[in-house]
Amino acid sequence: MKCPYCGYEESKVIDSRPADDGERIRRRRECLGCHKRFTTHEVIESVPIIVVKRDKSREVFDRNKLTGGILRACEKRPVSLDQIESVVDSIESMLQSSLDREVTSQTIGELTMEKMKDIDEVAYVRFASVYRQFKDINTFMEELNKLLKEK
């Protein structure tokens, strides 16, 4: 860590303590060159998840985008915001724990539909209709029949 006063590259840690509810570590350091003290903050560097879309374009995983899609599917349904947050948390943790840093939008869609099935069947069908791009009533009915067979 370079000293902000003299640029010397060696320092020693005088004090360490957690900050921001344990998300960061605050360190007081002393420069071994000029003996002045300064503070640094250490944070965990998270590697972003890249979503590969159907058109092969790539974008960074956006939790808010997933939440918005689920919210639209659950509109006027008895699904609480806590349930939606739980689904998004679950999907995001599955993606983070995966060794792959790139994931297809199809994978995210399938994971979401599996979680939605357990929460609300109408919201599940709404989400599936957008995700699977239902073109007509027959594809809609096929999905409903699959759902009924699983019961």
Side-chain angles (χ1 to χ4, degrees):
M1 181 65 59
K2 275 188 179 178
C3 173
Y5 304 108
C6 70
Y8 194 71
E9 292 190 12
E10 305 257 345
S11 64
K12 67 180 178 179
V13 176
I14 310 248
D15 180 43
S16 288
R17 63 180 70 168
D20 297 334
D21 294 329
E23 297 292 320
R24 296 173 175 253
I25 295 180
R26 178 185 177 273
R27 298 194 192 277
R28 284 294 292 162
R29 296 177 175 271
E30 182 178 314
C31 175
L32 296 178
C34 67
H35 301 288
K36 289 187 179 181
R37 292 184 177 187
F38 57 98
T39 302
T40 60
H41 292 273
E42 185 177 305
V43 294
I44 294 174
E45 183 178 28
S46 63
V47 179
I49 298 167
I50 304 299
V51 179
V52 181
K53 301 178 80 167
R54 287 184 179 150
D55 66 357
K56 303 296 183 218
S57 65
R58 288 168 163 70
E59 65 180 46
V60 175
F61 173 75
D62 184 356
R63 176 187 174 89
N64 294 329
K65 193 171 177 182
L66 179 59
T67 303
I70 295 171
L71 277 170
R72 278 189 298 283
C74 294
E75 205 169 284
K76 296 183 182 180
R77 297 297 305 155
V79 179
S80 72
L81 197 54
D82 287 342
Q83 287 175 299
I84 293 170
E85 285 295 320
S86 175
V87 167
V88 175
D89 288 344
S90 173
I91 292 168
E92 188 173 26
S93 69
M94 288 170 76
L95 296 175
Q96 288 288 355
S97 64
S98 167
L99 296 177
D100 296 329
R101 291 295 93 196
E102 286 191 345
V103 63
T104 63
S105 58
Q106 288 86 351
T107 302
I108 295 171
E110 294 295 329
L111 288 171
T112 305
M113 286 195 312
E114 282 301 311
K115 301 288 181 186
M116 296 287 292
K117 225 184 258 187
D118 298 334
I119 291 176
D120 187 272
E121 291 173 343
V122 172
Y124 160 77
V125 172
R126 286 177 178 171
F127 187 88
S129 70
V130 173
Y131 167 69
R132 291 211 171 120
Q133 299 173 340
F134 290 173
K135 305 254 185 290
D136 56 25
I137 194 73
N138 292 328
T139 52
F140 199 83
M141 286 305 294
E142 287 171 18
E143 194 65 35
L144 287 175
N145 287 331
K146 279 188 218 171
L147 192 59
L148 287 172
K149 284 180 187 174
E150 287 177 12
K151 281 189 144 188

